[in-house]
Amino acid sequence: MPKKRIYNFSAGPATLPDEVIEQAQKDIWNIRDSGIGILEHSHRGKVFEDIIRETEHDCRQLANISDDYEVLFLQGGATLQFAMIPQAFLGAGKHLDVLNTGIWTENAIKDAKRFGDIHYAYDGKDSQFDHIPQDSEINYSKDPTYVHYCSNNTIYGTEWKRVPKTEHPLVCDMSSNILSKPIDIDKHALIFAGTQKNLGPAGCCLVIANKEFLAKNQREGLPFLLDYKHMAAKRSMHNTPPTFTIYIIGRVFKWLLAQGGLEAIEQHNIAKAKVLFDAIEKDKDFYTAFGREDSRSVMNVAFRTPNAELDKKFIDEAFQAGFSGLKGHRALGGLRASIYNAFPAEGSKALAKFMTEFAQTNR
Ligand SMILES: *Cc1c(COP(=O)(O)O)cnc(C)c1O
C-alpha cells in the first residue's frame, strides 16, 4: 500500500532521521569526495578511520563521557552482552544481583547463569512487570560483582526515572532509551545498548565501560572479540567492524548534536509521549496503558483497547491510515507505539488523533 514513507512505530530497527537517510543515499555513492561509497571503503583507510574516531568523539560529547570510560562499538547486538559481561566478570564463587523488570533482564539472567550465581535483588514477576521498583522494594546481597538492570523495558513500556541506588558496580542495558535524555555515566561500571533502537541500524552494540572496573574485574584469557580490554586497545577494530552501521550511528550523533543535545531531545521526547498518554487518558474507558503511571516510558507506549479483537482491528485500520509497527510484543499482546529520538512529533499527534476517532467509532 505505501508509496511514500509512513509513520513507523517499530520497536527496532526503528525510524531514523530523514536528514540521515538523505545524506546516506549520497554517501553510498561517493563519500567525502573520495570517489568511493561508504559501503566500499576499507576499515583501515583514512576515510573510515576518520568516521569511527569522529563517531566516538561525538558520542563522548553528547553523553558527557569522561576519559575514565572506554567507548566501544562491538558486534553481536545487546544479546551478546548478556553473555560477554558475565563471562568477563563472573566465575567461581562470584555472583551478580539483578533487578528483574521483564523479559530483557530475564534473557540476561539465562546467559549469566552459565558463569556464576544470580541473586534477585528485585523480581517484578509477581506484578507482571507493570512498574519500576522503589528503593524499598530492592534488597541487594552482600558483595555482588555487579548489579544488572535495564533502564527501559521496551516490551512493557516502563522506564527507570532514576539510577538505582547502590554502592556496587552497576551494569545497565540501555538498549531502548540510550541518548534519549542526559545519562549519569559516572554512576555506572558498564552501559551497553544494541544500536537499532535509538542510535542507528542493527549490527552493533555501543558499550561504555569504566576503565578501572575493567582493570580490576575482567578475567584474563578471553577470546579477542570477547575481551573488553583488548577491544579497547584495538579501538573496536580487532577485525572488520560493521562499517556502514557505525557510519550511520555517526550521522545520528551529529543530528542529535544539531538538535541541541540530550537536554533538548529529552524535552522533545517527553512531549511526544505526553500526546499519546493524554489520548489514552482522555478515553480511559476504552484504552488502558500497561505501565503504572509512575513508571511510564517515554520511548515505548504500551497500551490496549478493551479486547484482543479490537486491538487487531486497531492495528489493521491504523496501517490503512499510514501507521505501521503498532502491534504489541508477542509476550504481552495489545498495542505498542515506539517513539524513539528520531520519531517525529507530527507522527505522535497524528496517532493520537486516530486513537480518539477509533475510540469514538468502536466503543
Ligand atoms: C531490543 C533489546 C535487546 C536485544 O537487542 P539485540 O541487539 O537484538 O540483541 C536487549 N535489551 C533491550 C532492553 C532491548 O530493547
Side-chain angles (χ1 to χ4, degrees):
M1 150 326 252
K3 289 199 179 61
K4 56 182 177 75
R5 284 165 69 82
I6 60 175
Y7 289 124
N8 174 18
F9 291 88
S10 164
T15 299
L16 289 166
D18 289 357
E19 296 93 316
V20 170
I21 300 294
E22 280 157 14
Q23 182 69 44
Q25 287 178 326
K26 294 179 188 139
D27 290 346
I28 282 175
W29 184 246
N30 177 1
I31 186 167
R32 299 185 176 187
D33 210 19
S34 62
I36 300 172
I38 175 60
L39 290 165
E40 304 155 295
H41 264 287
S42 162
H43 61 297
R44 304 288 178 200
K46 178 165 170 18
V47 169
F48 186 74
E49 221 7 272
D50 287 351
I51 286 171
I52 191 167
R53 289 316 134 221
E54 278 174 35
T55 303
E56 177 185 340
H57 173 270
D58 291 344
C59 184
R60 287 183 181 278
Q61 193 186 333
L62 265 172
N64 200 12
I65 304 169
S66 76
D67 284 341
D68 297 340
Y69 286 79
E70 305 286 6
V71 172
L72 305 174
F73 301 96
L74 305 184
Q75 298 187 52
T79 301
L80 184 59
Q81 294 304 306
F82 296 164
M84 186 165 157
I85 295 167
Q87 182 178 49
F89 305 115
L90 293 183
K94 294 188 179 175
H95 73 279
L96 71 87
D97 275 17
V98 67
L99 302 170
N100 185 21
T101 51
I103 286 175
W104 289 120
T105 41
E106 289 191 330
N107 285 349
I109 293 162
K110 284 181 201 158
D111 260 342
K113 270 185 183 156
R114 305 177 203 277
F115 303 100
D117 292 327
I118 315 289
H119 169 78
Y120 285 78
Y122 168 75
D123 191 353
K125 211 176 188 158
D126 297 338
S127 53
Q128 280 83 50
F129 304 119
D130 73 342
H131 72 283
I132 297 297
Q134 306 287 317
D135 287 339
S136 59
E137 295 174 80
I138 298 172
N139 292 299
Y140 294 111
S141 69
K142 202 168 162 295
D143 292 331
T145 301
Y146 62 89
V147 175
H148 177 107
Y149 82 110
C150 177
S151 57
N152 184 70
N153 299 284
T154 326
I155 295 170
Y156 315 88
T158 63
E159 181 172 17
W160 287 82
K161 306 292 174 191
R162 65 186 199 283
V163 175
K165 211 160 54 194
T166 173
E167 76 266 23
H168 308 299
L170 196 53
V171 167
C172 183
D173 177 355
M174 227 174 253
S175 293
S176 53
N177 71 344
I178 192 157
L179 303 190
S180 67
K181 58 185 177 186
I183 310 172
D184 263 323
I185 302 285
D186 294 339
K187 289 186 179 161
H188 296 87
L190 191 149
I191 292 168
F192 66 95
T195 52
Q196 69 275 24
K197 284 154 190 165
N198 246 336
L199 303 176
C204 200
C205 185
L206 176 67
V207 173
I208 302 167
N210 182 268
K211 289 177 183 170
E212 202 182 307
F213 176 74
L214 296 181
K216 260 202 214 148
N217 296 284
Q218 189 186 293
R219 77 151 88 154
E220 296 304 318
L222 291 167
F224 292 129
L225 289 185
L226 305 178
D227 179 334
Y228 294 99
K229 288 192 287 189
H230 176 77
M231 290 305 282
K234 292 287 178 185
R235 308 198 71 188
S236 306
M237 291 214 280
H238 171 84
N239 68 334
T240 318
T243 53
F244 184 70
T245 292
I246 292 169
Y247 153 82
I248 295 276
I249 294 167
R251 298 310 312 180
V252 170
F253 288 169
K254 289 189 191 303
W255 177 83
L256 279 170
L257 287 166
Q259 302 301 301
L262 301 189
E263 277 91 5
I265 206 80
E266 178 181 26
Q267 294 314 313
H268 182 68
N269 287 332
I270 289 172
K272 282 186 297 182
K274 185 172 184 302
V275 168
L276 295 181
F277 282 117
D278 285 352
I280 291 169
E281 183 61 28
K282 199 166 63 178
D283 288 308
K284 62 174 177 244
D285 61 320
F286 191 82
Y287 295 114
T288 315
F290 183 79
R292 218 167 71 180
E293 197 166 345
D294 61 1
S295 306
R296 285 178 188 167
S297 168
V298 166
M299 298 277 97
N300 310 97
V301 179
F303 63 108
R304 61 171 92 88
T305 68
N307 60 60
E309 226 168 280
L310 279 173
D311 287 342
K312 190 179 175 310
K313 190 168 183 229
F314 184 101
I315 293 162
D316 292 344
E317 290 184 11
F319 186 69
Q320 291 308 316
F323 308 105
S324 159
L326 288 163
K327 192 163 190 257
H329 188 276
R330 60 191 181 279
L332 201 65
L335 306 161
R336 173 176 55 175
S338 297
I339 44 174
Y340 302 119
N341 283 344
F343 190 85
E346 312 84 70
S348 273
K349 287 184 197 143
L351 180 64
K353 187 161 169 278
F354 174 87
M355 286 167 68
T356 303
E357 288 161 8
F358 188 84
Q360 264 161 18
T361 41
N362 290 280
R363 98 157 28 86

